Amino acid sequence: MLFRSVWREICDWVASHAPADACFLTPRGAASFTWWTGRREIVGWKNSPQDARSLVEWRRRFIDCFSRDGSFANLERSTAALGADRMRLVAERYGATHAIVPVDVPGVESLPFERLHANRGYAVYRLR
């Protein structure tokens, strides 16, 4: 229940404070982000498409956002675990303006982005 409460609080904050046209880099396990916030995200596990072409694009986004080795075998929880340069690359490639990062990801305190809000579980960053 703790996960849901801190996740829901971060989503409520995004819904109230982020620009309506913002696009987010969200953690891999993010659930119902677009539903609760009305904002776009680069890729979401539960938002997998049903047609072949879109499924290939969805998989590419997952690999770009969460994989160190180009496979689905060892995905990270957050792009932040892959470093700030990877976050910048993904943001530029897919048009992300913001990120939500779990606060327990190693190196989160040294991310070079503006931290807009945080709770016990997540922090919201402006990427550009």
Side-chain angles (χ1 to χ4, degrees), residues 57-118:
E57 172 65 16
W58 175 85
R59 184 183 190 286
R60 183 171 65 91
R61 287 174 181 240
F62 249 87
I63 295 298
D64 286 350
C65 291
F66 304 113
S67 179
R68 288 187 185 276
D69 63 6
S71 77
F72 259 60
N74 297 308
L75 298 176
E76 295 290 344
R77 274 188 322 143
S78 172
T79 311
L82 302 173
D85 288 341
R86 182 73 164 267
M87 290 178 73
R88 279 189 197 95
L89 175 73
V90 169
E92 289 173 17
R93 183 172 290 159
Y94 299 110
T97 57
H98 295 76
I100 298 176
V101 177
V103 295
D104 63 348
V105 168
V108 71
E109 292 302 326
S110 63
L111 288 174
F113 308 110
E114 180 185 5
R115 184 183 273 202
L116 301 175
H117 178 73

Side-chain angles (χ1 to χ4, degrees), residues 3-62:
F3 169 78
R4 181 185 164 136
S5 64
V6 295
W7 178 247
R8 183 61 191 265
E9 189 277 325
I10 224 63
C11 287
D12 289 347
W13 187 90
V14 166
S16 298
H17 295 88
D21 63 347
C23 180
F24 280 78
L25 179 56
T26 56
R28 183 168 48 92
S32 302
F33 176 78
T34 57
W35 178 265
W36 285 330
T37 66
R39 303 310 187 272
R40 295 176 298 134
E41 65 183 327
I42 292 174
V43 66
W45 183 256
K46 291 210 167 212
N47 294 337
S48 62
Q50 301 303 305
D51 65 283
R53 182 182 308 223
S54 298
L55 193 56
V56 168
E57 172 65 16
W58 175 85
R59 184 183 190 286
R60 183 171 65 91
R61 287 174 181 240
F62 249 87

